[in-house]
Amino acid sequence: MKKSLLIFFVFAALSFSSCSDDDDQLPEGSLNVEATVNGQEWKASGNSRVTSVAGVTIFAIGAGAVDKSNIAITLDGEKTGTFDLNGRALYTDAAQTVNNATSGTITITKLENNKVSGTFSFRASPMVGSGPETVVENGKFTDINIMK
């Protein structure tokens, strides 16, 4: 069940971070996300969304790069602090291999004016089949817009 919810919210995160619509009412602000992925610099544009499903509040943060790689993170609730990312973060590479976090943390340092900032790092393995571990380090996001 937990994995099904994660997949659902990842698709939700990707849908709002990868496309825009004139009807979307996003607060103005920066959309910058950056990290080091397997030793390589990675930069992307991102957004976040707060959604309630069956009385549970989910906070999703997603970012997509020009090469179609992306990072998606889901948290229980919208709050500051440090949270475990095991099973709560995905990195999808340019070849569209989806890697699920096996360890790592995210620290939400600021939540104000419909924007979120923080840092993250995690290790991930392919969700299907086998392959090398993906290492996401030195991740940071500054004033990412929050859609509600």
Side-chain angles (χ1 to χ4, degrees), residues 1 17 22 25 28 33-34 39-40 43 61 64 68 70 74 76-77 82 94 97 100 102-103 110 115 119-120 129:
M1 174 73 172
S17 69
D22 291 339
Q25 295 184 3
E28 292 182 25
V33 179
E34 55 188 69
Q40 302 294 314
K43 291 187 177 184
I61 299 169
K68 305 279 187 207
N70 62 73
T74 57
D76 296 327
T82 299
T97 301
N100 189 31
T102 56
S103 65
K110 183 174 102 174
K115 295 180 189 206
T119 59
F120 62 94

Side-chain angles (χ1 to χ4, degrees), residues 6 20 67:
L6 175 64
S20 64
D67 68 356

Side-chain angles (χ1 to χ4, degrees), residues 5-6 9-10 13 58-61 72-76 85 87-89:
L5 278 174
L6 175 64
F9 290 112
V10 167
I58 302 297
F59 187 26
I61 299 169
I73 298 171
T74 57
L75 302 172
D76 296 327
L85 288 180
R88 296 190 153 276

Side-chain angles (χ1 to χ4, degrees), residues 33-75:
V33 179
E34 55 188 69
T36 303
V37 178
N38 294 331
Q40 302 294 314
E41 183 178 277
W42 186 83
K43 291 187 177 184
S45 296
N47 266 317
S48 62
R49 178 174 292 221
V50 176
T51 304
S52 285
V53 175
V56 177
T57 300
I58 302 297
F59 187 26
I61 299 169
V66 174
D67 68 356
K68 305 279 187 207
S69 62
N70 62 73
I71 291 174
I73 298 171
T74 57
L75 302 172

